[in-house]
Amino acid sequence: MKNIMFIAPPAAGKGTQAELVVEKYHIPHISTGDILREISKEDSEIGEYVRETMASGKLVKDEITYQLIEERLNKDDCKNGFIIDGFPRNLDQAIEYDKILEKLGYEIGNVILIDIDKNTLEKRITGRRLCENCNAIYNINDKNNTPKVESVCDICGGKLYQRSDDNLEAFATRYTTYLEKTEPIIEHYKEKGVLKTVDGNDTVENIFNKIDEIIK
Ligand code: AMP
């Protein structure tokens, strides 16, 4: 199947949609945010840098992301398709990504833009909870997406936590960063003829159905 890339502002639901794609199509989900969150737990200089940068809502240095993306995409499980989420985040990363794909012999595939209002995002950001064990995503502000038992993951029983950057202050920085740095890559993919847009102001299920139509 074709590779999939998600582009969306923070808290638009790309992680949730990626989980649904994984469930149906059994391809790996590569999220630079998830990989960086793991690095941020390390008791090292880089761990501390990533932890502080992520909590502020700013982007980490491009060079850090290039190496981890190339290493991850080079693994065997990516040969039959993958979802990339959270990368590229700016035009330099998009240009570098083109080079990495060429080097590894991969196609860009479908680039899916989840288009969504800022007000909806603000509501979602404060309600988002993640499982510290399996990374499953919930939202306590969305009655269709709350865990059955408060603070406990439905899937694995792990403890739920709130991301350090899921507050309105960090959101403001992340949203401005999205407009300034990430939106310009939309043009890059429009010119390549691979961009598909999905309306994100809808239920998780309806958004997934639209994404599934594109994948099929
Ligand atoms: P996400 O989970 O995609 O919302 O990403 C959370 C945070 O991780 C971002 O606000 C950045 O600090 C960092 N991050 C994730 N992906 C990238 C990337 N491609 N380039 C730089 N920083 C990133």
Side-chain angles (χ1 to χ4, degrees), residues 53-91:
T53 309
M54 286 181 89
S56 76
K58 293 188 186 139
L59 296 181
V60 307
K61 289 191 197 108
D62 291 343
E63 290 67 29
I64 295 179
T65 63
Y66 297 158
Q67 199 189 346
L68 59 89
I69 279 294
E70 187 171 339
E71 273 175 22
R72 183 63 190 88
L73 293 183
N74 204 17
K75 293 201 171 143
D76 279 351
D77 64 343
C78 292
K79 307 280 186 254
N80 295 321
F82 55 84
I83 310 172
I84 189 141
D85 149 16
F87 184 91
R89 269 307 221 274
N90 59 36
L91 211 46

Side-chain angles (χ1 to χ4, degrees), residues 111-201:
V111 176
I112 302 177
L113 169 68
I114 304 177
D115 198 18
I116 185 163
D117 298 337
K118 191 179 175 197
N119 286 348
T120 312
L121 298 173
E122 284 178 343
K123 231 177 276 161
R124 287 194 189 170
I125 207 99
T126 52
R128 177 157 61 181
R129 299 291 182 274
L130 269 78
C131 173
E132 64 177 19
N133 182 44
C134 73
N135 288 329
I137 305 164
Y138 299 88
N139 201 304
I140 59 169
N141 292 342
D142 172 0
K143 63 178 176 6
N144 296 316
N145 198 8
T146 44
K148 290 192 184 86
V149 179
E150 200 186 323
S151 303
V152 178
C153 178
D154 290 353
I155 301 165
C156 75
K159 202 169 145 216
L160 304 186
Y161 75 99
Q162 185 169 25
R163 282 170 45 167
S164 61
D165 56 348
D166 275 353
N167 58 71
L168 290 177
E169 198 190 343
F171 171 77
T173 307
R174 289 161 70 198
Y175 192 73
T176 307
T177 304
Y178 174 78
L179 295 181
E180 285 176 7
K181 305 256 169 80
T182 309
E183 274 210 343
I185 70 176
I186 293 169
E187 258 333 289
H188 180 79
Y189 292 116
K190 245 188 218 161
E191 280 166 20
K192 286 180 182 284
V194 291
L195 189 83
K196 311 268 164 40
T197 303
V198 164
D199 181 5
N201 300 289

